[in-house]
Amino acid sequence: MPIYAYRCSACGHAKDLLQKLSDPVLSTCPACGADAFSKQVTAAGFQLKGSGWYATDFKGGAAAAAAAPTADATAAPAAQGKGDATAAATASAPCGGSCACH
């Protein structure tokens, strides 16, 4: 179940609530009783990590998809033919070259 952030525009009371997707949106503030309690827009509470479909298909556009290692046999020779410059740049990166900054 997702956690939703609510805030009252009348008194400023804020609260995070665990609700089902099918639960109705709350409108009455539990602190002051005003009909000004509304759902807030918040950042997602998860991160996609690793070398799965996200990193290879969407993360950095065409450059990330070309640089990401794949298990496809046809892509392996192309990755090996890139030369030592790419391998040296990846090896010198403090994160190993597998993060979002590369």
Side-chain angles (χ1 to χ4, degrees):
M1 284 194 299
I3 299 173
Y4 295 104
Y6 283 87
R7 189 174 194 290
C8 178
S9 59
C11 70
H13 176 73
K15 187 171 186 170
D16 293 339
L17 297 167
L18 183 67
Q19 290 184 304
K20 293 181 184 178
L21 292 172
S22 60
D23 287 347
V25 176
L26 302 177
S27 60
T28 305
C29 178
C32 70
D35 195 24
F37 208 49
S38 60
K39 195 184 292 187
Q40 302 294 298
V41 176
T42 59
F46 68 95
Q47 258 185 333
L48 299 173
K49 293 184 177 182
S51 61
W53 62 268
Y54 170 74
T56 58
D57 296 340
F58 299 105
K59 194 170 188 177
T70 62
D72 187 10
T74 60
Q80 291 173 354
K82 287 186 179 182
D84 293 333
T86 304
T90 302
S92 66
C95 60
S98 63
C99 68
C101 64
H102 293 95

Coordinates of all heavy atoms in Angstrom, one line a residue:
M1 N 0.8 -1.2 0.0 CA 0.0 0.0 0.0 C 0.9 1.2 0.0 O 1.9 1.3 0.7 CB -0.9 0.0 1.2 CG -2.1 -0.9 1.2 SD -3.3 -0.7 2.4 CE -2.5 -0.9 3.9
P2 N 0.5 2.2 -0.8 CA 1.3 3.5 -0.9 C 1.1 4.4 0.4 O 0.1 4.3 1.0 CB 0.9 4.1 -2.1 CG -0.4 3.5 -2.5 CD -0.5 2.2 -1.8
I3 N 2.1 5.2 0.6 CA 2.0 6.2 1.7 C 1.8 7.5 1.0 O 2.5 7.9 0.1 CB 3.3 6.2 2.5 CG1 3.5 4.9 3.2 CG2 3.2 7.4 3.6 CD1 4.8 4.8 3.9
Y4 N 0.7 8.2 1.4 CA 0.4 9.5 0.8 C 0.6 10.6 1.9 O 0.3 10.5 3.0 CB -1.1 9.6 0.4 CG -1.4 8.6 -0.7 CD1 -2.1 7.4 -0.5 CD2 -1.0 8.9 -2.0 CE1 -2.3 6.6 -1.5 CE2 -1.3 8.1 -3.1 CZ -2.0 6.9 -2.8 OH -2.2 6.0 -3.8
A5 N 1.1 11.8 1.4 CA 1.4 12.9 2.3 C 0.2 13.9 2.1 O -0.2 14.2 1.0 CB 2.7 13.6 1.9
Y6 N -0.4 14.3 3.2 CA -1.5 15.2 3.3 C -1.0 16.5 4.0 O -0.2 16.4 4.9 CB -2.7 14.6 4.0 CG -3.5 13.7 3.1 CD1 -3.1 12.3 3.1 CD2 -4.6 14.1 2.4 CE1 -3.9 11.4 2.4 CE2 -5.3 13.2 1.6 CZ -5.0 11.8 1.6 OH -5.7 11.0 0.9
R7 N -1.6 17.6 3.7 CA -1.4 18.9 4.4 C -2.6 19.7 4.4 O -3.3 19.8 3.4 CB -0.2 19.6 3.7 CG 0.2 20.8 4.4 CD 1.5 21.4 3.7 NE 2.2 22.4 4.5 CZ 1.7 23.6 4.9 NH1 0.5 24.0 4.5 NH2 2.5 24.4 5.6
C8 N -2.9 20.4 5.5 CA -4.0 21.2 5.7 C -3.6 22.7 5.3 O -2.6 23.2 5.9 CB -4.5 21.2 7.1 SG -5.9 22.3 7.4
S9 N -4.3 23.3 4.4 CA -4.0 24.6 4.0 C -4.5 25.7 4.9 O -4.1 26.8 4.9 CB -4.5 24.9 2.6 OG -5.9 24.8 2.5
A10 N -5.4 25.3 5.9 CA -5.9 26.2 6.9 C -5.0 26.3 8.1 O -4.7 27.4 8.5 CB -7.3 25.7 7.3
C11 N -4.5 25.2 8.6 CA -3.7 25.2 9.9 C -2.3 24.8 9.6 O -1.4 25.0 10.5 CB -4.4 24.4 11.0 SG -4.3 22.6 10.7
G12 N -2.0 24.2 8.5 CA -0.6 23.8 8.2 C -0.3 22.4 8.7 O 0.9 21.9 8.6
H13 N -1.2 21.7 9.3 CA -1.0 20.3 9.8 C -0.6 19.4 8.7 O -1.3 19.4 7.6 CB -2.3 19.8 10.5 CG -2.2 18.4 11.0 ND1 -1.4 18.0 12.1 CD2 -2.7 17.3 10.6 CE1 -1.5 16.7 12.3 NE2 -2.3 16.2 11.4
A14 N 0.4 18.6 8.8 CA 0.9 17.7 7.8 C 0.9 16.3 8.4 O 1.3 16.1 9.6 CB 2.2 18.1 7.3
K15 N 0.6 15.3 7.6 CA 0.5 13.9 8.0 C 0.7 13.0 6.8 O 0.2 13.2 5.7 CB -0.8 13.6 8.7 CG -0.9 12.3 9.4 CD -2.1 12.1 10.2 CE -2.0 10.8 11.0 NZ -3.1 10.7 12.0
D16 N 1.5 11.9 7.1 CA 1.6 10.8 6.1 C 0.7 9.7 6.4 O 0.7 9.2 7.6 CB 3.1 10.3 6.0 CG 4.1 11.3 5.5 OD1 3.6 12.3 4.8 OD2 5.3 11.2 5.8
L17 N -0.1 9.2 5.5 CA -1.0 8.1 5.7 C -0.9 7.0 4.8 O -0.6 7.2 3.6 CB -2.5 8.7 5.6 CG -2.8 9.8 6.5 CD1 -4.1 10.5 6.1 CD2 -3.0 9.2 7.9
L18 N -1.0 5.8 5.3 CA -0.9 4.5 4.5 C -2.3 4.2 4.1 O -3.2 4.0 4.9 CB -0.4 3.4 5.4 CG -0.2 2.1 4.8 CD1 0.9 2.1 3.7 CD2 0.2 1.0 5.8
Q19 N -2.5 4.3 2.7 CA -3.9 4.1 2.2 C -3.8 3.1 1.0 O -2.8 3.1 0.3 CB -4.5 5.4 1.7 CG -4.8 6.4 2.8 CD -5.5 7.6 2.2 OE1 -4.9 8.2 1.3 NE2 -6.7 7.9 2.6
K20 N -4.9 2.4 0.8 CA -5.1 1.6 -0.4 C -5.3 2.6 -1.6 O -5.8 3.7 -1.4 CB -6.3 0.7 -0.3 CG -6.1 -0.4 0.8 CD -7.4 -1.2 0.8 CE -7.3 -2.3 1.9 NZ -8.6 -3.1 1.9
L21 N -5.1 2.1 -2.8 CA -5.3 2.9 -4.0 C -6.8 3.2 -4.1 O -7.2 4.2 -4.6 CB -4.8 2.2 -5.2 CG -3.3 2.0 -5.4 CD1 -3.0 1.1 -6.5 CD2 -2.7 3.4 -5.5
S22 N -7.7 2.3 -3.6 CA -9.1 2.4 -3.7 C -9.7 3.3 -2.6 O -10.9 3.6 -2.7 CB -9.8 1.0 -3.7 OG -9.5 0.3 -2.5
D23 N -8.9 3.6 -1.6 CA -9.5 4.4 -0.5 C -9.8 5.9 -1.0 O -9.1 6.4 -1.9 CB -8.5 4.5 0.6 CG -8.4 3.3 1.5 OD1 -9.3 2.4 1.3 OD2 -7.4 3.1 2.2
P24 N -10.8 6.5 -0.5 CA -11.2 7.8 -0.9 C -10.1 8.8 -0.4 O -9.5 8.6 0.6 CB -12.5 8.1 -0.3 CG -12.6 7.2 0.9 CD -11.8 6.0 0.5
V25 N -9.9 9.9 -1.2 CA -9.0 11.0 -0.8 C -9.6 11.7 0.4 O -10.8 12.1 0.4 CB -8.8 12.0 -2.0 CG1 -7.9 13.1 -1.5 CG2 -8.2 11.2 -3.1
L26 N -8.8 12.0 1.5 CA -9.3 12.7 2.7 C -9.4 14.2 2.4 O -8.6 14.7 1.7 CB -8.3 12.4 3.8 CG -8.1 10.9 4.2 CD1 -7.1 10.8 5.3 CD2 -9.4 10.3 4.6
S27 N -10.4 14.8 3.0 CA -10.5 16.2 2.8 C -10.7 17.0 4.2 O -10.5 18.2 4.2 CB -11.7 16.5 1.9 OG -12.9 16.0 2.5
T28 N -11.0 16.3 5.2 CA -11.2 17.0 6.5 C -9.9 16.8 7.4 O -9.4 15.7 7.6 CB -12.4 16.3 7.3 OG1 -13.5 16.4 6.5 CG2 -12.7 17.1 8.6
C29 N -9.4 17.9 7.8 CA -8.2 18.0 8.6 C -8.4 17.3 10.0 O -9.4 17.7 10.7 CB -7.7 19.4 8.8 SG -6.2 19.5 9.8
P30 N -7.6 16.4 10.4 CA -7.8 15.8 11.8 C -7.4 16.7 12.9 O -7.9 16.5 14.0 CB -6.9 14.5 11.8 CG -5.9 14.8 10.7 CD -6.5 15.7 9.7
A31 N -6.6 17.7 12.6 CA -6.2 18.7 13.7 C -7.2 19.8 13.9 O -7.6 20.1 15.1 CB -4.9 19.3 13.3
C32 N -7.7 20.4 12.9 CA -8.6 21.6 13.0 C -10.0 21.4 12.6 O -10.9 22.2 12.8 CB -8.0 22.8 12.3 SG -8.0 22.7 10.5
G33 N -10.2 20.3 11.8 CA -11.6 20.0 11.3 C -12.0 20.7 10.1 O -13.1 20.5 9.6
A34 N -11.1 21.5 9.5 CA -11.4 22.3 8.3 C -11.4 21.4 7.1 O -10.8 20.3 7.1 CB -10.4 23.4 8.1
D35 N -12.2 21.8 6.1 CA -12.3 21.0 4.9 C -11.2 21.5 3.9 O -11.5 21.8 2.8 CB -13.7 21.2 4.3 CG -14.0 20.1 3.2 OD1 -13.3 19.0 3.3 OD2 -14.8 20.4 2.3
A36 N -9.9 21.5 4.4 CA -8.8 22.0 3.6 C -7.6 21.0 3.6 O -6.5 21.4 3.3 CB -8.4 23.3 4.2
F37 N -7.9 19.7 3.9 CA -6.9 18.7 3.9 C -6.7 18.1 2.5 O -7.7 17.6 1.9 CB -7.3 17.6 4.9 CG -6.2 16.8 5.6 CD1 -5.2 17.5 6.2 CD2 -6.3 15.4 5.6 CE1 -4.2 16.7 6.8 CE2 -5.3 14.7 6.3 CZ -4.2 15.4 6.9
S38 N -5.5 18.3 1.9 CA -5.3 17.8 0.5 C -4.1 17.0 0.4 O -3.1 17.1 1.2 CB -5.3 19.0 -0.4 OG -4.2 19.8 -0.1
K39 N -4.1 16.1 -0.6 CA -3.0 15.2 -0.9 C -1.8 16.0 -1.6 O -2.1 16.9 -2.4 CB -3.4 14.1 -1.8 CG -2.4 13.0 -1.9 CD -2.9 11.9 -2.9 CE -4.1 11.2 -2.5 NZ -4.4 10.1 -3.4
Q40 N -0.6 15.8 -1.1 CA 0.6 16.5 -1.7 C 1.3 15.7 -2.7 O 1.2 14.4 -2.7 CB 1.6 16.8 -0.5 CG 1.0 17.6 0.6 CD 0.6 19.0 0.1 OE1 1.5 19.8 -0.3 NE2 -0.7 19.3 0.2
V41 N 2.0 16.3 -3.6 CA 2.8 15.6 -4.6 C 4.2 15.4 -4.0 O 4.8 16.4 -3.5 CB 2.9 16.4 -5.9 CG1 3.8 15.8 -6.9 CG2 1.6 16.7 -6.5
T42 N 4.6 14.2 -4.0 CA 5.9 13.9 -3.3 C 6.8 13.1 -4.3 O 6.3 12.5 -5.3 CB 5.7 13.0 -2.1 OG1 5.0 11.9 -2.4 CG2 5.0 13.8 -1.0
A43 N 8.0 12.9 -4.0 CA 9.0 12.1 -4.8 C 8.7 10.7 -4.6 O 8.3 10.3 -3.5 CB 10.4 12.5 -4.5
A44 N 9.1 9.9 -5.6 CA 8.9 8.4 -5.4 C 9.9 7.9 -4.4 O 11.0 8.4 -4.2 CB 9.2 7.8 -6.8
G45 N 9.5 6.9 -3.7 CA 10.3 6.4 -2.6 C 11.1 5.1 -3.0 O 11.3 4.3 -2.1
F46 N 11.5 5.0 -4.2 CA 12.3 3.9 -4.6 C 13.4 4.3 -5.7 O 13.2 5.4 -6.3 CB 11.5 2.8 -5.2 CG 10.8 3.1 -6.5 CD1 11.4 2.7 -7.7 CD2 9.6 3.8 -6.6 CE1 10.8 3.0 -8.9 CE2 9.0 4.1 -7.8 CZ 9.6 3.7 -8.9
Q47 N 14.4 3.5 -5.8 CA 15.4 3.8 -6.8 C 15.7 2.5 -7.6 O 15.6 1.4 -7.1 CB 16.8 4.1 -6.1 CG 17.1 5.5 -6.0 CD 18.5 5.7 -5.4 OE1 18.9 4.9 -4.6 NE2 19.1 6.8 -5.8
L48 N 15.9 2.7 -8.9 CA 16.2 1.5 -9.7 C 17.7 1.4 -9.9 O 18.4 2.4 -10.3 CB 15.5 1.7 -11.1 CG 14.0 1.8 -11.1 CD1 13.5 2.2 -12.5 CD2 13.4 0.5 -10.6
K49 N 18.2 0.3 -9.4 CA 19.7 0.1 -9.5 C 20.0 -1.2 -10.2 O 19.1 -2.0 -10.4 CB 20.2 0.0 -8.1 CG 20.2 1.2 -7.3 CD 20.8 1.1 -5.9 CE 20.8 2.4 -5.2 NZ 21.5 2.3 -3.9
G50 N 21.2 -1.3 -10.6 CA 21.7 -2.6 -11.3 C 21.7 -2.4 -12.8 O 21.6 -1.3 -13.3
S51 N 21.9 -3.5 -13.5 CA 22.1 -3.4 -14.9 C 20.9 -4.0 -15.6 O 21.0 -4.6 -16.7 CB 23.3 -4.2 -15.3 OG 23.2 -5.5 -14.9
G52 N 19.7 -3.9 -15.1 CA 18.5 -4.5 -15.7 C 18.0 -3.6 -16.9 O 18.7 -2.8 -17.4
W53 N 16.7 -3.8 -17.2 CA 16.2 -3.1 -18.4 C 16.2 -1.6 -18.3 O 16.3 -0.9 -19.2 CB 14.7 -3.6 -18.6 CG 13.8 -3.3 -17.5 CD1 13.5 -4.1 -16.5 CD2 13.1 -2.1 -17.3 NE1 12.6 -3.5 -15.6 CE2 12.3 -2.3 -16.1 CE3 12.9 -0.9 -18.0 CZ2 11.5 -1.3 -15.6 CZ3 12.1 0.0 -17.5 CH2 11.4 -0.1 -16.3
Y54 N 16.1 -1.1 -17.0 CA 16.0 0.4 -16.9 C 17.4 1.0 -17.3 O 17.4 2.0 -18.0 CB 15.7 0.7 -15.4 CG 15.9 2.1 -15.0 CD1 15.0 3.1 -15.5 CD2 17.0 2.6 -14.3 CE1 15.2 4.4 -15.2 CE2 17.2 3.9 -14.0 CZ 16.2 4.8 -14.4 OH 16.4 6.1 -14.1
A55 N 18.5 0.4 -16.8 CA 19.8 1.0 -17.1 C 20.1 0.8 -18.6 O 20.8 1.7 -19.1 CB 20.8 0.3 -16.2
T56 N 19.7 -0.3 -19.2 CA 20.1 -0.5 -20.6 C 19.2 0.2 -21.6 O 19.6 0.5 -22.7 CB 20.2 -2.0 -20.9 OG1 18.9 -2.6 -20.6 CG2 21.3 -2.7 -20.0
D57 N 17.9 0.4 -21.2 CA 16.9 0.9 -22.2 C 16.5 2.3 -22.0 O 16.3 3.0 -23.0 CB 15.7 0.0 -22.2 CG 16.0 -1.4 -22.6 OD1 17.0 -1.6 -23.3 OD2 15.1 -2.3 -22.3
F58 N 16.5 2.8 -20.8 CA 15.9 4.1 -20.5 C 16.8 5.1 -19.8 O 16.6 6.3 -19.9 CB 14.6 4.0 -19.7 CG 13.6 3.3 -20.4 CD1 13.2 2.0 -20.1 CD2 12.9 3.8 -21.5 CE1 12.3 1.3 -20.7 CE2 11.9 3.1 -22.2 CZ 11.6 1.8 -21.8
K59 N 17.8 4.7 -19.1 CA 18.5 5.5 -18.1 C 19.2 6.7 -18.7 O 19.1 7.8 -18.3 CB 19.5 4.6 -17.4 CG 20.1 5.3 -16.1 CD 20.8 4.3 -15.3 CE 21.2 4.9 -14.0 NZ 21.9 3.9 -13.2
G60 N 20.0 6.5 -19.8 CA 20.7 7.6 -20.3 C 20.6 7.8 -21.8 O 21.4 8.3 -22.5
G61 N 19.5 7.2 -22.4 CA 19.3 7.3 -23.8 C 20.2 6.4 -24.6 O 20.5 5.3 -24.1
A62 N 20.5 6.7 -25.8 CA 21.3 5.8 -26.7 C 22.7 5.6 -26.2 O 23.2 4.5 -26.4 CB 21.3 6.4 -28.1
A63 N 23.3 6.6 -25.6 CA 24.7 6.4 -25.1 C 24.8 5.4 -24.0 O 25.7 4.5 -24.0 CB 25.2 7.7 -24.6
A64 N 23.8 5.3 -23.1 CA 23.8 4.4 -22.0 C 23.5 3.0 -22.5 O 24.1 2.0 -22.1 CB 22.8 4.8 -20.9
A65 N 22.6 2.9 -23.5 CA 22.3 1.6 -24.1 C 23.4 1.0 -24.8 O 23.7 -0.2 -24.8 CB 21.0 1.7 -25.0
A66 N 24.2 1.8 -25.5 CA 25.4 1.3 -26.3 C 26.5 0.9 -25.3 O 27.2 0.0 -25.6 CB 25.8 2.4 -27.2
A67 N 26.7 1.6 -24.2 CA 27.8 1.3 -23.3 C 27.4 0.2 -22.3 O 28.3 -0.4 -21.7 CB 28.1 2.6 -22.5
A68 N 26.2 -0.1 -22.1 CA 25.8 -1.1 -21.1 C 26.1 -2.5 -21.6 O 25.9 -2.8 -22.8 CB 24.3 -1.0 -20.8
P69 N 26.7 -3.4 -20.8 CA 26.9 -4.7 -21.2 C 25.6 -5.5 -21.4 O 24.7 -5.3 -20.6 CB 27.8 -5.3 -20.0 CG 27.4 -4.5 -18.9 CD 27.1 -3.1 -19.4
T70 N 25.6 -6.3 -22.4 CA 24.4 -7.1 -22.6 C 24.8 -8.6 -22.7 O 26.0 -8.9 -23.0 CB 23.7 -6.7 -23.9 OG1 24.6 -6.9 -25.0 CG2 23.3 -5.3 -23.9
A71 N 23.8 -9.5 -22.6 CA 24.1 -10.9 -22.7 C 23.9 -11.4 -24.2 O 24.0 -12.5 -24.5 CB 23.1 -11.7 -21.8
D72 N 23.5 -10.4 -25.1 CA 23.2 -10.8 -26.5 C 24.6 -11.1 -27.1 O 25.5 -10.4 -27.1 CB 22.6 -9.6 -27.1 CG 22.1 -9.9 -28.5 OD1 22.1 -11.1 -28.9 OD2 21.7 -9.0 -29.2
A73 N 24.6 -12.2 -27.9 CA 25.8 -12.7 -28.5 C 26.2 -11.7 -29.6 O 27.4 -11.5 -29.9 CB 25.7 -14.1 -29.1
T74 N 25.3 -11.1 -30.3 CA 25.6 -10.2 -31.4 C 26.2 -8.9 -30.9 O 27.0 -8.2 -31.6 CB 24.4 -9.9 -32.3 OG1 23.4 -9.2 -31.4 CG2 23.9 -11.1 -32.9
A75 N 25.9 -8.5 -29.7 CA 26.4 -7.2 -29.1 C 27.8 -7.4 -28.5 O 28.5 -6.4 -28.4 CB 25.5 -6.7 -28.1
A76 N 28.2 -8.6 -28.2 CA 29.5 -8.8 -27.5 C 30.7 -8.4 -28.4 O 31.6 -7.7 -27.9 CB 29.6 -10.3 -27.1
P77 N 30.7 -8.8 -29.7 CA 31.9 -8.3 -30.5 C 32.0 -6.8 -30.6 O 33.1 -6.3 -30.6 CB 31.7 -9.0 -31.8 CG 30.8 -10.2 -31.6 CD 29.9 -9.7 -30.4
A78 N 30.9 -6.1 -30.7 CA 30.9 -4.7 -30.8 C 31.4 -4.1 -29.5 O 32.2 -3.1 -29.6 CB 29.5 -4.2 -31.1
A79 N 31.1 -4.6 -28.4 CA 31.6 -4.1 -27.1 C 33.1 -4.3 -27.0 O 33.8 -3.5 -26.4 CB 30.8 -4.7 -26.0
Q80 N 33.6 -5.4 -27.5 CA 35.0 -5.7 -27.4 C 35.8 -4.9 -28.3 O 37.0 -4.6 -28.0 CB 35.2 -7.2 -27.7 CG 34.7 -8.1 -26.7 CD 34.8 -9.6 -27.1 OE1 35.1 -9.9 -28.2 NE2 34.4 -10.5 -26.2
G81 N 35.2 -4.4 -29.4 CA 36.0 -3.6 -30.4 C 36.0 -2.1 -30.0 O 36.5 -1.3 -30.8
K82 N 35.5 -1.7 -28.9 CA 35.5 -0.3 -28.5 C 36.9 0.2 -28.2 O 37.2 1.4 -28.3 CB 34.6 0.0 -27.3 CG 33.2 -0.1 -27.7 CD 32.4 0.3 -26.5 CE 30.9 0.2 -26.8 NZ 30.1 0.6 -25.7
G83 N 37.8 -0.6 -27.9 CA 39.2 -0.2 -27.6 C 39.5 0.0 -26.1 O 38.6 -0.2 -25.3
D84 N 40.7 0.3 -25.8 CA 41.1 0.4 -24.4 C 40.7 1.8 -23.8 O 40.7 1.9 -22.6 CB 42.6 0.2 -24.3 CG 43.0 -1.2 -24.6 OD1 42.2 -2.1 -24.5 OD2 44.2 -1.4 -25.1
A85 N 40.3 2.8 -24.6 CA 40.0 4.1 -24.0 C 38.8 4.0 -23.1 O 38.7 4.6 -22.0 CB 39.8 5.1 -25.1
T86 N 37.7 3.3 -23.6 CA 36.5 3.1 -22.8 C 36.8 2.3 -21.5 O 36.3 2.7 -20.4 CB 35.4 2.4 -23.6 OG1 35.2 3.2 -24.8 CG2 34.1 2.3 -22.8
A87 N 37.6 1.3 -21.6 CA 37.9 0.5 -20.4 C 38.7 1.3 -19.4 O 38.5 1.2 -18.2 CB 38.7 -0.8 -20.9
A88 N 39.6 2.1 -19.9 CA 40.5 2.9 -19.0 C 39.6 4.0 -18.3 O 39.8 4.2 -17.1 CB 41.6 3.6 -19.8
A89 N 38.7 4.6 -19.0 CA 37.8 5.6 -18.4 C 36.9 5.0 -17.4 O 36.7 5.6 -16.3 CB 37.0 6.3 -19.5
T90 N 36.4 3.8 -17.6 CA 35.5 3.1 -16.7 C 36.3 2.7 -15.5 O 35.9 2.8 -14.3 CB 34.9 1.9 -17.3 OG1 34.2 2.4 -18.5 CG2 33.9 1.2 -16.4
A91 N 37.5 2.2 -15.7 CA 38.4 1.7 -14.5 C 38.8 2.8 -13.6 O 39.0 2.7 -12.4 CB 39.5 0.9 -15.1
S92 N 39.0 4.0 -14.2 CA 39.5 5.1 -13.4 C 38.4 5.8 -12.6 O 38.7 6.6 -11.8 CB 40.2 6.2 -14.3 OG 39.3 6.8 -15.2
A93 N 37.2 5.5 -12.9 CA 36.0 6.1 -12.2 C 36.0 5.6 -10.8 O 36.1 4.4 -10.6 CB 34.7 5.9 -13.0
P94 N 35.7 6.4 -9.8 CA 35.7 5.9 -8.4 C 34.5 4.9 -8.2 O 34.6 4.1 -7.3 CB 35.6 7.2 -7.6 CG 35.1 8.2 -8.5 CD 35.6 7.8 -9.9
C95 N 33.5 5.0 -9.0 CA 32.4 4.2 -8.8 C 32.4 2.9 -9.7 O 31.5 2.1 -9.6 CB 31.1 4.9 -9.1 SG 31.1 5.5 -10.8
G96 N 33.5 2.8 -10.5 CA 33.6 1.6 -11.3 C 32.9 1.8 -12.7 O 32.8 0.9 -13.5
G97 N 32.2 3.0 -12.9 CA 31.6 3.2 -14.1 C 30.2 2.7 -14.2 O 29.6 2.7 -15.3
S98 N 29.6 2.1 -13.2 CA 28.3 1.5 -13.2 C 27.2 2.3 -12.6 O 26.1 1.9 -12.4 CB 28.4 0.1 -12.6 OG 28.7 0.3 -11.2
C99 N 27.5 3.6 -12.4 CA 26.5 4.5 -11.7 C 25.9 5.4 -12.8 O 26.2 5.4 -13.9 CB 27.1 5.3 -10.6 SG 28.3 6.5 -11.2
A100 N 25.0 6.3 -12.3 CA 24.3 7.2 -13.2 C 25.2 8.3 -13.7 O 24.9 8.9 -14.7 CB 23.1 7.8 -12.4
C101 N 26.3 8.5 -13.1 CA 27.2 9.6 -13.6 C 28.0 9.2 -14.8 O 28.8 10.0 -15.3 CB 28.1 10.1 -12.4 SG 29.3 8.8 -11.8
H102 N 27.9 7.9 -15.2 CA 28.7 7.5 -16.4 C 27.8 7.0 -17.5 O 27.1 6.3 -17.8 CB 29.7 6.4 -16.0 CG 30.8 6.9 -15.2 ND1 30.7 6.9 -13.8 CD2 31.9 7.6 -15.4 CE1 31.8 7.5 -13.3 NE2 32.5 7.9 -14.3

